[in-house]
Amino acid sequence: NAGVMQNPRHLVRRRGQEARLRCSPMKGHSHVYWYRQLPEEGLKFMVYLQKENIIDESGMPKERFSAEFPKEGPSILRIQQVVRGDSAAYFCASSPWGDRVGQPQHFGDGTRLSIL
Amino acid sequence: GESVGLHLPTLSVQEGDNSIINCAYSNSASDYFIWYKQESGKGPQFIIDIRSNMDKRQGQRVTVLLNKTVKHLSLQIAATQPGDSAVYFCAELSRSGTYKYIFGTGTRLKVLA
């Protein structure tokens, strides 16, 4: 299966801990997007990255959240000092050329983050 | 701000009937739209897309219609099957600033046996 891979599928953290969510894009895709989804709601854009660059982080909270997409390895969404409100499903999507072209993004099955 | 919204949050359809899911978008400059299907516990799955130079596009059992005059998008599913039960999202490619997709809140389709 050469789809977008996210891990872990489920992550439980206590308040104040750090959460690290990983995303491996489809083979050949160099554009990665992170979205957040609350139950019964749509996907909210968080950040758009290319290899080693953050292109658009306008949807990401200014504090505690960070994202990277290194030259080698998966993209990482990092949430420091988690709070109950961070509980959500986090989805990663990838595409080969970026949204300028207008093309479907391919999604992973998400990481469900639960904060105790 | 820009938004993509749906008229019906939940749609119940008899198996074998046709389903129509609607979406309104606010940015007349948007030129690319996608419909996604999301099953419980899974990520969104691409169904069909359409560019603004078209008003209709057909796939296997699905048709997307685009009415730019009223900024309306619809997804038609023919002969709805139990496996079609899911949440359906439309997404609009926003070209304000950097390019990114804006997703609607979704419509839950329930197929009744």
Side-chain angles (χ1 to χ4, degrees):
Chain A
N1 186 345
V4 177
M5 302 301 294
Q6 290 188 249
N7 68 83
R9 290 296 312 278
H10 301 275
L11 182 61
V12 179
R13 285 287 178 266
R14 295 189 181 278
R15 282 178 293 172
Q17 291 184 322
E18 178 180 287
R20 279 183 177 244
L21 288 62
R22 297 174 187 77
C23 170
S24 295
M26 285 183 70
K27 187 177 181 181
H29 289 192
S30 59
H31 300 258
V32 166
Y33 312 82
W34 285 93
Y35 295 86
R36 170 188 161 108
Q37 185 179 37
L38 294 172
E40 302 297 307
E41 293 190 8
L43 287 85
K44 303 297 184 187
F45 169 81
M46 298 181 72
V47 61
Y48 164 30
L49 310 103
Q50 293 182 33
K51 286 280 188 181
E52 300 183 277
N53 284 303
I54 297 175
I55 306 303
D56 183 346
E57 56 182 350
S58 60
M60 202 142 74
K62 296 285 185 262
E63 297 180 352
R64 303 190 297 110
F65 285 72
S66 62
E68 63 177 12
F69 188 18
K71 186 176 181 180
E72 301 291 338
S75 175
I76 306 288
L77 178 66
R78 181 183 180 202
I79 310 173
Q80 295 179 289
Q81 300 174 344
V82 296
V83 300
R84 288 239 171 94
D86 295 333
S87 295
Y90 292 84
F91 288 95
C92 169
S94 73
S95 66
W97 301 299
D99 290 337
R100 192 172 286 270
V101 176
Q103 65 197 316
Q105 296 179 349
H106 300 265
F107 283 83
D109 283 336
T111 293
R112 273 96 186 139
L113 176 64
S114 298
I115 309 302
L116 301 180
Chain B
E2 298 170 348
S3 65
V4 178
L6 298 176
H7 298 304
L8 298 172
T10 303
L11 177 65
S12 296
V13 176
Q14 206 67 37
E15 182 179 355
D17 287 351
N18 296 334
S19 302
I20 300 176
I21 301 172
N22 297 303
C23 176
Y25 63 95
S26 59
N27 189 346
S28 57
S30 295
D31 59 5
Y32 180 65
F33 305 86
I34 303 176
W35 280 101
Y36 284 96
K37 173 186 180 182
Q38 186 177 26
E39 297 175 285
S40 181
K42 296 195 173 182
Q45 178 186 6
F46 170 81
I47 300 173
I48 193 167
D49 58 1
I50 189 167
R51 300 189 188 276
S52 60
N53 60 353
M54 305 171 68
D55 53 21
K56 180 179 180 179
R57 189 161 189 225
Q58 287 185 293
Q60 188 177 16
R61 280 201 310 117
V62 294
T63 300
V64 55
L65 299 177
L66 176 62
N67 185 332
K68 295 181 287 293
T69 302
V70 295
K71 292 184 286 187
H72 185 267
L73 193 69
S74 68
L75 176 70
Q76 300 178 0
I77 304 173
T80 311
Q81 303 169 358
D84 294 328
S85 292
V87 178
Y88 290 80
F89 295 97
C90 64
E92 165 189 13
L93 179 58
S94 169
R95 296 190 185 272
S96 298
T98 58
Y99 298 83
K100 54 180 172 281
Y101 286 96
I102 299 174
F103 285 77
T105 53
T107 292
R108 182 177 300 281
L109 177 64
K110 293 184 178 179
V111 181
L112 307 174

